[in-house]
Amino acid sequence: MAEISTPPSGDKRGEVGERLWAGSMTAITLLLVGVVVYTSAHWGFHPPSQVETIDSTSLHEGGEFSEANLGTVIAPDGSAVVRVVAQQYAFVPDCLVVPAGKPVTIRLASADVVHGFLVQGTNVNAMVVPGYVTTVHTMFKDPGERLMPCHEFCGVGHQAMWARVRVVEPSSFPSDANNKQKAVSCAP
Ligand code: CUA
């Protein structure tokens, strides 16, 4: 019966390298999982969970995303709903005005291809897929202006597709005294 023995390793450096490699890969994996857990729990980063369909070919013909409805409407409780259309290669309106310190719901629909949008320094980051309404909920703490670029390649004009988000004090929110339900924006 042949004697079974482990082959002579003879290469301690190789073994140390293997352990270093396995250890660092485990550490990186744990770090990435930690980042996902932290951003979803602490910053409220998560994919939109609702599925709401819409006919992207007829947005302009009426309904929620017709031109007159685009922009911000303030509810009696002070919260805001912002409706935006994403299309090659602009957001309409291209300047959103929102109240600071109030719940803000942003609803987007695409008129053509897949777009994406994020608002710098906030948890707002989502894709806008034709045929679906993207809804995100957020709150802007401080007044100021933030950029909202399209972050999904949508064609040759992609890099020029972006909007601004102007956060203002609720007291200085532009409102039409005669018609509080009029959608407003800061687009020229
Ligand atoms: Cu729209 Cu990139």
Side-chain angles (χ1 to χ4, degrees):
M1 196 165 130
E3 201 174 306
I4 298 171
S5 66
T6 50
S9 114
D11 190 357
K12 273 270 182 276
R13 277 185 309 168
E15 201 175 316
V16 168
E18 286 282 343
R19 285 182 194 283
L20 266 178
W21 175 257
S24 54
M25 288 308 110
T26 305
I28 289 172
T29 306
L30 290 177
L31 175 72
L32 291 177
V33 170
V35 166
V36 169
V37 170
Y38 177 78
T39 54
S40 59
H42 183 69
W43 286 351
F45 266 141
H46 42 72
S49 49
Q50 104 292 4
V51 174
E52 191 180 338
T53 56
I54 194 166
D55 180 3
S56 278
T57 60
S58 61
L59 294 180
H60 57 285
E61 289 170 12
E64 181 180 349
F65 290 93
S66 61
E67 201 175 346
N69 290 335
L70 299 182
T72 307
V73 173
I74 301 291
D77 66 0
S79 64
V81 177
V82 191
R83 294 186 175 83
V84 183
V85 166
Q87 61 189 30
Q88 289 167 318
Y89 296 101
F91 292 101
V92 185
D94 66 1
C95 183
L96 319 182
V97 59
V98 293
K102 301 282 185 186
V104 174
T105 301
I106 307 177
R107 287 172 61 78
L108 271 91
S110 168
D112 37 50
V113 300
V114 176
H115 299 275
F117 76 110
L118 63 82
V119 182
Q120 286 181 329
T122 71
N123 67 338
V124 177
N125 185 337
M127 285 169 71
V128 190
V129 181
Y132 296 88
V133 178
T134 299
T135 303
V136 296
H137 303 282
T138 189
M139 173 114 71
F140 298 94
K141 269 194 204 145
D142 304 309
E145 198 156 289
R146 296 173 184 276
L147 289 180
M148 187 179 108
C150 175
H151 65 51
E152 196 69 38
F153 183 76
C154 52
V156 289
H158 161 71
Q159 79 284 351
M161 180 172 174
W162 55 277
R164 285 170 296 144
V165 177
R166 187 172 296 161
V167 185
V168 300
E169 293 290 358
S171 57
S172 62
F173 196 86
S175 68
D176 184 329
N178 299 319
N179 183 2
K180 288 271 188 198
Q181 287 307 301
K182 190 176 186 293
V184 294
S185 77
C186 43

